[in-house]
Amino acid sequence: MFKQNNINELKEYLQKPKKIVVTSHKNPDGDALGSSLAWTKILTKLGHSVDYISPNGMPEYYSWLPLNKQMIIYEKSKDYAKNLVYSADIVFSLDYNALDRMDEFGEVVKASKAVKIMIDHHLFPEDYPTLTYSDTSKSSTGEMIFEMILAMGEEDKIDADIATLLYTAILTDTGSFAFKCTTQRVHEIVGVLVSKGADPDTVQNQVYNCFTESRLRFFGFCIMNKMHIIPNTNVAYIAVSEKELREFDIQDGETEGLANYPLKIANVQACAFFREKDKQIRISFRSKGDFDVNILAREHFNGGGHKNASGGMMRDSLENTVKKFENLFLQNG
Ligand SMILES: [Mn+2]
């Protein structure tokens, strides 16, 4: 079902120094940032000329990440970014499976004549790349990058920065080593990363204990006033308007983590978090066990992702979107 190229094909492309651009999806999370910055540094150490371009900026609370200043933001320097992509020999797609995950920047990558290489763990990868490394059994793109570095025989190039970045990628995409994707191998890998200089205590505090006061109060407000459980179901949701986000001064990325809260209720098996922005509704779905929110997102909300964590987008009102979601369960219930 999935195209899976051999590591030797990648090695072949990287034999001589190349001009390389690394890209990741819009609204980058810990995995997108950690894996992309780590991959950028490894490739640089291997003698290539490498730039990392993200469609938009990272949340403020990731500004401690090693090498984060190297990230070029497409939204802010479009011409510069386009030139880099159009003159690149190789463009890497990290942590996304479809070019529309990058909005307008996806068109730029599409138009480039560079060799395109995808490294990703989301379901149903598009087939635009020249080489595809897609493994949906992996916890994170960070885990895949680690395995690729090993397969290339470059483990000794993993320094403390790279270890910290990959640790962050794996930590965030496994929900602190809690999700089903947290295999024995994941624990082995993070063991190696710790031995190479990743500090679990520091990373945990930087990633999770870094809220602004208004962000934590906003989480409290959502749980207290905005969380609903659909009657006679095991499904919950939280929906917030643009106005409410403004009232709490919530920036892009600061809602990360909120989507998981309803699952803390023992009999809630799935939940959705809806937020209104620029006349669109962004949705995060989360679930436990066998409840498949990837299919739900794919069939009804223009999205997808993983079985227990996926996203969607609607060009409709918040009210209509929530109603559509509720009706799916009321009818089936
Ligand atoms: Mn990921």
Side-chain angles (χ1 to χ4, degrees), residues 8-68:
N8 289 324
E9 296 171 77
L10 175 66
K11 278 187 177 171
E12 197 81 17
Y13 279 109
L14 295 176
Q15 229 163 29
K16 292 197 186 112
K18 294 277 166 62
K19 283 169 79 175
I20 294 176
V21 169
V22 174
T23 65
S24 61
H25 57 78
K26 199 179 173 193
N27 303 326
D29 55 11
D31 189 28
L33 293 166
S35 60
S36 298
L37 289 166
W39 192 232
T40 297
K41 185 159 189 193
I42 281 284
L43 294 173
T44 305
K45 282 186 163 188
L46 291 172
H48 305 286
S49 157
V50 196
D51 291 288
Y52 168 37
I53 309 174
S54 170
N56 62 349
M58 67 181 77
E60 178 58 33
Y61 58 84
Y62 276 126
S63 59
W64 61 275
L65 277 177
L67 313 170
N68 78 84

Side-chain angles (χ1 to χ4, degrees), residues 25 29-32 35 95-96 120-122 139-142 169 173 306:
H25 57 78
D29 55 11
D31 189 28
S35 60
D95 201 38
Y96 65 91
D120 180 52
H121 67 129
H122 294 90
S139 67
S140 53
T141 303
D173 257 27
H306 309 286

Side-chain angles (χ1 to χ4, degrees), residues 11-190:
K11 278 187 177 171
E12 197 81 17
Y13 279 109
L14 295 176
Q15 229 163 29
K16 292 197 186 112
K18 294 277 166 62
K19 283 169 79 175
I20 294 176
V21 169
V22 174
T23 65
S24 61
H25 57 78
K26 199 179 173 193
N27 303 326
D29 55 11
D31 189 28
L33 293 166
S35 60
S36 298
L37 289 166
W39 192 232
T40 297
K41 185 159 189 193
I42 281 284
L43 294 173
T44 305
K45 282 186 163 188
L46 291 172
H48 305 286
S49 157
V50 196
D51 291 288
Y52 168 37
I53 309 174
S54 170
N56 62 349
M58 67 181 77
E60 178 58 33
Y61 58 84
Y62 276 126
S63 59
W64 61 275
L65 277 177
L67 313 170
N68 78 84
K69 297 280 179 292
Q70 290 185 7
M71 185 173 92
I72 296 162
I73 300 169
Y74 173 75
E75 251 175 28
K76 288 190 180 161
S77 2
K78 290 191 181 180
D79 289 338
Y80 183 62
K82 278 180 192 168
N83 275 334
L84 287 173
V85 171
Y86 291 143
S87 63
D89 301 311
I90 303 174
V91 175
F92 280 96
S93 294
L94 260 56
D95 201 38
Y96 65 91
N97 56 352
L99 286 173
D100 67 7
R101 296 290 326 277
M102 297 219 294
D103 277 357
E104 185 189 309
F105 185 43
E107 298 295 317
V108 178
V109 169
K110 192 176 180 182
S112 118
K113 301 230 177 339
V115 167
K116 292 165 192 136
I117 304 176
M118 180 191 284
I119 305 173
D120 180 52
H121 67 129
H122 294 90
L123 293 162
F124 309 116
E126 279 182 356
D127 64 0
Y128 69 87
T130 321
L131 298 183
T132 299
Y133 299 92
S134 160
D135 190 342
T136 59
S137 73
K138 296 291 190 230
S139 67
S140 53
T141 303
E143 181 183 354
M144 294 181 70
I145 291 290
F146 179 89
E147 298 288 20
M148 304 204 67
I149 295 170
L150 250 59
M152 289 161 68
E154 305 290 356
E155 186 178 342
D156 61 342
K157 293 208 170 44
I158 299 177
D159 57 23
D161 283 349
I162 293 167
T164 301
L165 289 162
L166 293 179
Y167 187 95
T168 304
I170 297 170
L171 175 79
T172 53
D173 257 27
T174 57
S176 301
F177 314 115
F179 301 154
K180 220 175 204 161
C181 57
T182 312
T183 56
Q184 177 182 344
R185 181 64 184 150
V186 165
H187 286 289
E188 287 164 1
I189 290 170
V190 296

Side-chain angles (χ1 to χ4, degrees), residues 256-272:
E256 193 177 300
L258 183 55
N260 299 312
Y261 273 84
L263 292 182
K264 289 192 182 293
I265 302 169
N267 56 8
V268 167
Q269 294 299 313
C271 59

